[in-house]
Amino acid sequence: MAERLPIYDIEQQIVGGLRESRRLIVSAPTGSGKSTQVPQILLDHGLLGAGQVVILQPRRLAARLLAARVAWERKVQLGHEVGYQIRFENVTSADTRIRFVTEGLLLRQMVQDPKLRGVAALIFDEFHERHLYGDITLARALDLQETERPDLKLLVMSATLDAAPLEQYLKPCRVLESRGRTYPVEIEFAATPGYLDKRPIWDQAAEAFSDFVGSGGQGDVLIFMPGGFEIAQTIDALRRRDEARGFLLLPLHGELPPREQDAAVARYDKRKVVIATNVAETSLTIDGIRCVIDSGLARIPRYDPYRGINTLLIEKISRASADQRAGRAGRTAPGLCRRLWSREEHAHRPQQELPEVKRLDLAEVVLTLKAAGVEDLRTFRWLESPEEQSLAHAEELLTDLGALRTINYQLKPNHQLSITSLGRKLLAFPLHPRYARMLIAAQDYRCVYQACLLAALTQGRDLLLRNVDNDTARHREDLLGDKPGSDFWLLMRAWQQVSANDFRPEACRRLGVHAATARQVGPLFEQFLELARREGLDTTRREVPDEALQKCILLGFSDRVARRLDLGTPRCELVHGRRGTLARESVVQKGPLLVAAEVREVESKDKSVQTLLSLATAIEEDWLRELFPEDIASVPRVFYDAATKRVYAEEQLRFRDLAIGARRVEPPPVDAAARLLSEEVLAGRLALNDWDDGLEQWILRLNLLSQWCPELALPPVGDADRRHLVEQVCHGSFSGKDLKDKPVKAVVKSWLSPAQQQLLEKHVPERLTLANGRAARVVYEPGNPPHIALRIQQLFGVTTTPRIAMGRIPVLLHILAPSQRPVQITQDLAGFWREHYPRIKQELQRKYPRHEWR
């Protein structure tokens, strides 16, 4: 029988709430017993009928340990009434009523069995951590409950939770809170900021432990470290401390064998120190802890845009996570939490970690949703919607991998992409789709063993240090030998070399290998091999041609195919319209085509951003034809070269939207050439000598007359018409030289028929004959009235203002003195002679006595 835990204070409310609404939110602090007792409450009160309760846990270790604890409490054998299911283990049977699972597994079960037959209730535990698969599975469960399974019961549980948004999302539902029983925990911060302490974090933790024990601290100690390597180093550091004598030093993380995990949470007569990852932060309760020493670090899943995958990187935890960790010291008595960072640093940490939907690559989840029949991802009932760019990127990648394809819009106008048979195969592998694609290909090329190592080498931080000295570079060249086809060959050989030397510092230093990263590759490698074996792949180690693995890399990273713009420089053009520069340390410096497994943006000294391509692998054009026949197309291309001022044509071979080859075509298509040349003429970069001011006046006269006298039905020349006329002039030419002295006027004036040209000359003449028989040039300007400029003597005998455009438009007269300077600008010539001329004549006659004055 379990001890009396705080969660039992709201037992009847839980039972009544589920019977009433079928949706329940339970907020209860760590140590209240919610993870182990609520599933039993449902079973013991008959809320499951003949079905089972499935409890979703974010971590595999927690799922296994919680199942073992519940089985022990119920005095049953694990795997019968109580069981668990994680990625590589299924400890359940037909008799299982309480089943602990990790989130991804339940979502996959919902794909295979959309009705979740046999499942009576779902419990989403530790929901405050906002894992991506938890969010997605909850949304799918709500849809299922509202359609096929109205009897399905849903519980969302958390230690710390802002219930208001979730309550709105789950509406209608009930919210219950268990306050629990906790003791005060004293928080101590480091005296100086962590960045000033250059000692490894494990040495800092060991000193904090010694201080605690030396000052008379009682009880067990829990130390939080980010990963297995740091935990092992902490244990070594503690063993060197006198204060640790008599303590059991117990590691706790997900990669340990089950026996060692069980040992960490067991009860002992001796005092113990548990050194754990954040798996001990919420899900598990470790009895007897009176002191927590917190490194403030964790391996947090985050999308790495450089590698295009989700990865675990060591980062600083949020303040909410720090509070969760501190609370572990107040479970049974007042406790102490020592944080290895300063109070000032704490204030600058984020309050909470971003939900995974905001920081992870969505490719795997999108593929799973497509397999589950979700047609429109934009209208999916997200608890918190992802960024549109993240969704679009996931769809683009999955399409490139062949996992999704465009379907007929007429059949489903609101949905563009559906899952392919290959996409369903990828789902069988609980990996990022890139690496699932690589492993499927590796089976065909008999190189699964090497592909697993390659995948393991790219999951964490860079294995090889950058900007190494000449000696290190020389050792790397010697290691690579005569195989410069891929940067991965260097990674694989370097890791094999330091692994053979047990990752000793000297061996790592000699090759510029990051030792901590290298140690983490081995366990990942074994996991990938085990996964491949479970999926029926041949993991036999054998010699394989480099080409086989190169093709596997290409299949996993086909969205990173690049073409060298010039073999003399590292500049490259990639698919999807991107450009980048091949890293200078890459061994792939020859050949026109490559695929880059890593694409990152770096800021230069001048603050400009450069796209750098690394982890490159040389590929062949024939491989693209072989592996992606539907993505290869021959596309005609006509273009203008500004340097030679000439139009060229070529037949371009493209992989998706990337040109990978071209064949010159002569002569270029005349219509396309005319269009390109006309664009250059209109932009002012090419000249037509025969297109002068007179021709511009002709076009302006036409446009003005069509405006002034619309009944004449003359067609004006607009911008599009001008473009058409210039294109007509350029027809048959291929270069600026061809155009230079090409006749233009006849082409432009052919815009009008002979009769229309006569109307133009009649009503908006280039030269206007006045009443005295003199002809004057009319100047037309956009936005101004037409005008003529004549000396006074040239206007003698003209008594009225001349008019054009069927007499509707008066001509503005610029009346000039003999010096050609204007003395009057007017449209009232009669008024000028009557009112202004006598005075002007008197003034000008004295100045110009030799001129005629009437």
Side-chain angles (χ1 to χ4, degrees):
M1 179 67 184
E3 62 178 297
R4 182 71 186 180
L5 292 164
I7 196 67
Y8 282 107
D9 294 340
I10 60 170
E11 178 179 2
Q12 294 305 317
Q13 293 171 269
I14 292 173
V15 174
L18 279 178
R19 282 179 173 154
E20 180 182 325
S21 71
R22 295 176 296 111
R23 295 181 186 176
L24 197 61
I25 298 173
V26 176
S27 178
T30 299
S32 62
K34 63 183 183 305
S35 300
T36 56
Q37 305 311 306
V38 170
Q40 297 184 66
I41 288 171
L42 268 59
L43 178 60
D44 294 339
H45 282 271
L47 291 172
L48 303 180
Q52 66 176 203
V53 57
V54 178
I55 307 96
L56 277 80
Q57 282 294 326
R59 298 177 182 86
R60 289 175 293 162
L61 186 151
R64 191 187 68 79
L65 291 180
L66 288 170
R69 174 72 184 187
V70 173
W72 176 81
E73 289 181 359
R74 299 186 70 82
K75 298 180 173 55
V76 298
Q77 184 178 347
L78 185 63
H80 290 274
E81 183 184 61
V82 182
Y84 68 92
Q85 192 174 357
I86 59 179
R87 188 164 68 176
F88 294 130
E89 291 182 75
N90 184 0
V91 186
T92 64
S93 68
D95 299 326
T96 301
R97 305 295 305 284
I98 298 175
R99 177 163 59 106
F100 289 83
V101 304
T102 46
E103 297 159 328
L105 281 175
L106 181 61
L107 187 56
R108 287 169 183 267
Q109 181 184 345
M110 295 179 84
V111 172
Q112 297 164 0
D113 178 13
K115 293 185 180 181
L116 283 183
R117 286 167 293 188
V119 176
L122 295 178
I123 297 178
F124 295 80
D125 200 12
E126 307 301 349
F127 196 76
H128 67 281
E129 295 189 18
R130 295 298 309 283
H131 288 263
L132 178 56
Y133 275 104
D135 283 11
I136 300 299
T137 308
L138 178 57
R140 296 293 293 160
L142 290 172
D143 286 342
L144 179 60
Q145 189 189 61
E146 292 172 0
T147 54
E148 303 283 345
R149 291 289 310 279
D151 61 307
L152 184 65
K153 298 173 178 61
L154 303 178
L155 279 84
V156 179
M157 305 198 305
S158 175
T160 57
L161 185 68
D162 180 6
L166 187 59
E167 183 181 3
Q168 182 66 29
Y169 180 70
L170 292 176
K171 214 178 221 185
C173 72
R174 290 188 61 182
V175 180
L176 301 179
E177 184 176 358
S178 170
R179 298 192 177 276
R181 295 190 294 270
T182 58
Y183 292 86
V185 176
E186 180 184 354
I187 307 293
E188 292 183 357
F189 288 93
T192 58
Y195 56 81
L196 294 178
D197 193 335
K198 303 303 181 184
R199 295 174 300 164
I201 195 69
W202 46 84
D203 285 342
Q204 298 178 44
E207 182 178 327
F209 167 80
S210 295
D211 290 345
F212 171 72
V213 176
S215 62
Q218 299 298 309
D220 296 337
V221 178
L222 173 61
I223 301 176
F224 283 100
M225 284 287 157
F229 171 71
E230 293 80 12
I231 288 173
Q233 295 291 1
T234 304
I235 291 174
D236 287 343
L238 289 172
R239 284 175 178 151
R240 296 192 295 270
R241 296 275 176 167
D242 293 338
E243 293 83 359
R245 290 177 184 169
F247 280 82
L248 293 173
L249 306 180
L250 303 168
L252 180 60
H253 58 85
E255 307 309 321
L256 287 173
R259 178 192 286 181
E260 294 184 38
Q261 294 175 351
D262 294 340
V265 299
R267 299 181 181 183
Y268 299 94
D269 295 332
K270 299 173 65 173
R271 294 175 73 184
K272 66 183 178 183
V273 182
V274 178
I275 307 95
T277 60
N278 57 359
V279 71
E281 190 175 300
T282 53
S283 303
L284 302 177
T285 296
I286 305 172
D287 294 326
I289 300 299
R290 297 284 297 279
C291 174
V292 167
I293 297 171
D294 190 358
S295 67
L297 303 172
R299 290 192 179 276
I300 296 176
R302 196 174 296 278
Y303 176 60
D304 184 347
Y306 305 156
R307 296 177 176 84
I309 58 171
N310 293 325
T311 187
L312 285 169
L313 298 178
I314 295 177
E315 297 182 12
K316 296 175 180 177
I317 61 171
S318 66
R319 283 178 280 165
S321 291
D323 291 342
Q324 284 287 330
R325 292 181 175 188
R328 303 313 241 161
R331 171 83 168 82
T332 56
L336 171 70
C337 175
R338 295 198 173 188
R339 292 173 175 167
L340 303 182
W341 66 95
S342 69
R343 190 179 299 275
E344 180 184 4
E345 288 177 288
H346 187 73
H348 287 90
R349 293 194 173 206
Q351 176 57 41
Q352 291 184 323
E353 184 61 71
L354 272 178
E356 285 188 349
V357 73
K358 297 289 188 181
R359 57 183 164 87
L360 289 185
D361 174 41
L362 302 177
E364 194 173 352
V365 154
V366 166
L367 189 60
T368 306
L369 289 176
K370 291 294 183 182
V374 176
E375 294 191 350
D376 191 347
L377 295 172
R378 275 73 183 171
T379 58
F380 181 71
R381 63 191 303 168
W382 302 95
L383 174 55
E384 190 166 350
S385 296
E387 302 293 337
E388 170 58 29
Q389 185 178 2
S390 298
L391 275 179
H393 173 76
E395 290 176 328
E396 179 182 79
L397 172 60
L398 291 170
T399 302
D400 285 344
L401 292 175
L404 297 181
R405 63 178 174 84
T406 303
I407 62 174
N408 192 327
Y409 279 101
Q410 294 178 345
L411 296 177
K412 293 186 178 182
N414 296 323
H415 180 52
Q416 181 183 1
L417 298 167
S418 65
I419 191 168
T420 64
S421 58
L422 174 60
R424 295 189 183 277
K425 288 181 182 178
L426 298 184
L427 272 180
F429 295 83
L431 293 173
H432 190 281
R434 286 190 188 279
Y435 291 102
R437 183 70 188 93
M438 284 174 55
L439 290 184
I440 289 175
Q443 175 71 5
D444 296 334
Y445 291 106
R446 296 171 58 80
C447 58
V448 175
Y449 181 90
Q450 289 85 350
C452 287
L453 176 55
L454 185 152
L457 286 165
T458 55
Q459 300 302 305
R461 295 189 184 277
D462 291 340
L463 178 74
L464 297 179
L465 301 175
R466 301 180 190 274
N467 302 318
V468 296
D469 57 35
N470 292 334
D471 284 344
T472 303
R474 218 168 16 251
H475 288 310
R476 288 181 181 178
E477 288 178 11
D478 293 343
L479 191 66
L480 189 63
D482 59 350
K483 290 191 174 183
S486 175
D487 294 325
F488 281 110
W489 305 166
L490 180 57
L491 280 184
M492 295 170 76
R493 290 189 172 189
W495 182 80
Q496 289 165 344
Q497 182 81 5
V498 297
S499 176
N501 285 277
D502 297 323
F503 308 106
R504 286 193 289 270
E506 176 57 30
C508 293
R509 185 199 61 76
R510 181 181 176 85
L511 289 172
V513 169
H514 193 284
T517 300
R519 290 187 187 92
Q520 294 159 9
V521 171
L524 281 172
F525 182 26
E526 291 300 325
Q527 284 183 22
F528 283 130
L529 287 172
E530 176 63 21
L531 172 62
R533 283 191 286 267
R534 286 174 179 268
E535 293 302 325
L537 304 187
D538 179 6
T539 60
T540 305
R541 185 175 184 176
R542 58 171 65 88
E543 290 295 322
V544 295
D546 291 346
E547 177 180 315
L549 200 52
Q550 285 171 280
K551 288 181 178 179
C552 294
I553 295 169
L554 170 58
L555 284 163
F557 291 89
S558 64
D559 59 317
R560 303 276 184 81
V561 170
R563 176 181 64 87
R564 300 281 289 275
L565 292 175
D566 181 350
L567 291 180
T569 72
R571 295 181 302 118
C572 298
E573 189 172 24
L574 292 89
V575 292
H576 303 310
R578 297 165 294 173
R579 289 205 170 188
T581 302
L582 183 63
R584 58 186 177 87
E585 67 267 19
S586 174
V587 302
V588 186
Q589 295 295 338
K590 295 180 180 179
L593 293 173
L594 58 95
V595 60
E598 196 174 274
V599 179
R600 65 183 188 275
E601 290 186 344
V602 295
E603 189 176 72
S604 304
K605 291 180 180 178
D606 61 357
K607 301 300 181 183
S608 63
V609 176
Q610 183 182 33
T611 301
L612 203 61
L613 314 180
S614 53
L615 280 184
T617 298
I619 60 173
E620 302 290 338
E621 182 182 308
D622 287 344
W623 300 352
L624 295 174
R625 295 179 187 272
E626 171 194 342
L627 301 174
F628 306 97
E630 294 181 357
D631 292 332
I632 297 290
S634 183
V635 180
R637 179 183 176 234
V638 185
F639 62 96
Y640 175 79
D641 181 66
T644 60
K645 295 184 178 181
R646 191 182 191 282
V647 174
Y648 296 94
E650 62 186 19
E651 194 72 21
Q652 196 176 76
L653 184 68
R654 288 190 180 181
F655 170 66
R656 296 173 185 161
D657 61 350
L658 175 68
I660 58 175
R663 178 182 62 83
R664 181 64 60 82
V665 175
E666 286 291 350
V670 291
D671 291 342
R675 184 176 61 255
L676 290 171
L677 289 174
S678 68
E679 289 173 358
E680 296 301 309
V681 170
L682 292 167
R685 292 185 289 267
L686 287 180
L688 293 169
N689 290 344
D690 198 30
W691 194 299
D692 55 17
D693 289 341
L695 195 57
E696 288 292 348
Q697 280 283 298
W698 187 90
I699 293 173
L700 181 59
R701 287 160 56 203
L702 169 60
N703 291 346
L704 290 172
L705 183 58
S706 67
Q707 177 184 337
W708 292 333
C709 302
E711 67 271 25
L712 296 177
L714 297 181
V717 176
D719 290 341
D721 303 317
R722 179 185 290 265
R723 182 178 297 274
H724 172 75
L725 287 169
V726 174
E727 193 171 320
Q728 194 173 342
V729 170
C730 295
H731 205 269
S733 299
F734 301 105
S735 68
K737 184 178 180 181
D738 296 343
L739 293 179
K740 195 171 182 183
D741 297 315
K742 196 163 187 179
V744 170
K745 290 183 174 63
V747 173
V748 175
K749 291 184 178 181
S750 67
W751 183 254
L752 298 180
S753 68
Q756 289 173 324
Q757 290 188 40
Q758 289 178 5
L759 288 174
L760 179 69
E761 294 303 326
K762 176 181 178 182
H763 296 297
V764 283
E766 185 177 4
R767 300 185 69 83
L768 181 64
T769 301
L770 303 178
N772 62 6
R774 186 177 295 274
R777 178 175 174 268
V778 185
V779 177
Y780 298 88
E781 294 177 346
N784 293 317
H787 73 271
I788 58 176
L790 294 171
R791 295 196 313 274
I792 292 175
Q793 287 77 11
Q794 294 171 316
L795 287 169
F796 288 160
V798 182
T799 59
T800 59
T801 302
R803 289 176 169 268
I804 60 173
M806 301 172 71
R808 297 173 185 175
I809 305 298
V811 176
L812 187 67
L813 293 161
H814 290 217
I815 303 174
L816 311 178
S819 62
Q820 300 295 324
R821 291 181 179 179
V823 295
Q824 189 75 15
I825 297 177
T826 183
Q827 285 183 326
D828 181 9
L829 188 58
F832 168 76
W833 293 123
R834 184 176 62 251
E835 298 175 9
H836 301 288
Y837 179 67
R839 175 180 54 80
I840 292 173
K841 172 184 175 183
Q842 188 176 7
E843 293 175 3
L844 294 180
Q845 195 170 18
R846 290 195 299 269
K847 287 175 129 183
Y848 307 103
R850 296 182 181 180
H851 286 74
E852 179 185 3
W853 300 99
R854 294 182 185 178

